[in-house]
Structures are given as structure tokens and as C-alpha cells.
Amino acid sequence: MQLIINEELFAIESQCDQLITSIKQSQAMENFQMAKAALDDSQEANKKMIRFNEAKNKFEQISEYGSHAPGFQELKKTVFQLKREMDLDTAIYNYRIAERDLQVQLDLIAKKIASAVSENILVSAGDAFSLSMIGLPSACEIHLGKRKDIEL
């Protein structure tokens, strides 16, 4: 199949550019950029992330040996404690919320575009392990229309 370049293709490309501009100017994107800047500026949050990643890497090196590895339980406990400490950090928490909100907006846009073409098109929505705005895992959520409205 050969792609035919015509005025319709240029019009679609122009509309895509307008959509990208609208997304970049959206409140969700602004919130995300502010939260990312705050996270980047937070030395405390960055130290927590580094400590967690170092402990996690050490744990992954011995985890395949399970409880037979020396220090397994202590390292496992340390990883969980550092993860909890990291999750409770305000800058990290705000970043994750802003990131999820932006992802929800992008999911809704993708669903809206897909349904305009055909209701039979399936749209992969966000991270399968994160919770959507209505509290279900995104991968299990069938109707993205139940999420909050798009803010563009």
C-alpha cells in the first residue's frame, strides 16, 4: 500500500499540531511541569530516590537466592522502608499525581480520536498498574468516558 500525500493529509497534520499545542498549554501539562521542576529542585527528594534505587539494586542482586542469601530479610525491610519514605515525600507525591493527571488527559484524547474513527478501536490506556480517576486499574477500565473530562 502506498501513502498518497494530498490536502487531507496536510489538514490532518495541521490538526495534530494544533492538538499538540493545546496539550502543551493545558492545565494538566502546566501542573506536571511545575511538579517536575519542584521535584528536580528538591535535594531531599532526590536523595531519597538515590538511596531507594541503591538499596533496590542491591536487593535485586540477591533476590533470586531468596531467604538463603545473607542479609536478605534486612535488605528487603530496608527497601520497603526507603520506598515508603520516598512515597511520603511531598515533591515526589505531587509529581506522581501531576504525571497521572496528564496521563489521564492523554488517554482521554487517544480514546476520543479512536472513537471518532470507530467504536471498535481499542485504546491502551496508561499504565496497567496505576489507578485511574475512578479507582480501577487502567488496563481493566473499559470505558474511558467515565474519567473526568478533557481540559484543553
Side-chain angles (χ1 to χ4, degrees):
M1 188 169 133
Q2 189 176 12
L3 178 65
I4 300 173
I5 298 176
N6 58 24
E7 291 301 316
E8 288 177 2
L9 184 60
F10 290 126
I12 291 171
E13 185 177 4
S14 174
Q15 290 173 350
C16 284
D17 291 340
Q18 290 173 358
L19 178 60
I20 291 167
T21 300
S22 294
I23 291 169
K24 287 180 177 180
Q25 294 173 351
S26 71
Q27 186 65 49
M29 179 61 88
E30 184 180 327
N31 293 345
F32 173 74
Q33 289 172 334
M34 288 180 1
K36 182 169 181 2
L39 179 60
D40 291 343
D41 291 342
S42 174
Q43 291 180 359
E44 184 180 335
N46 285 297
K47 286 178 186 176
K48 288 177 184 178
M49 289 187 290
I50 290 169
R51 284 195 312 265
F52 168 74
N53 284 322
E54 288 171 351
K56 184 180 76 151
N57 289 336
K58 286 179 187 176
F59 180 73
E60 287 174 349
Q61 290 173 355
I62 66 165
S63 65
E64 64 185 65
Y65 302 108
S67 59
H68 302 292
F72 177 82
Q73 290 299 332
E74 294 80 17
L75 193 51
K76 182 178 177 181
K77 183 178 178 182
T78 300
V79 169
F80 284 128
Q81 287 172 337
L82 291 172
K83 173 76 168 118
R84 178 80 174 147
E85 190 179 307
M86 188 177 69
D87 288 343
L88 292 175
D89 186 275
T90 305
I92 294 170
Y93 175 79
N94 289 337
Y95 173 79
R96 287 184 177 157
I97 294 296
E99 183 181 43
R100 188 201 68 214
D101 289 346
L102 179 60
Q103 183 63 54
V104 167
Q105 296 299 309
L106 295 172
D107 293 348
L108 286 167
I109 290 167
K111 176 63 178 162
K112 199 168 194 175
I113 291 170
S115 4
V117 175
S118 169
E119 288 296 326
N120 296 325
I121 296 176
L122 298 176
V123 177
S124 175
D127 182 358
F129 300 106
S130 67
L131 294 181
S132 69
M133 294 303 290
I134 62 171
L136 296 173
S138 298
C140 297
E141 191 171 319
I142 297 171
H143 303 288
L144 286 174
K146 292 179 182 177
R147 291 184 177 177
K148 67 179 185 178
D149 292 333
I150 298 174
E151 296 175 22
L152 292 179

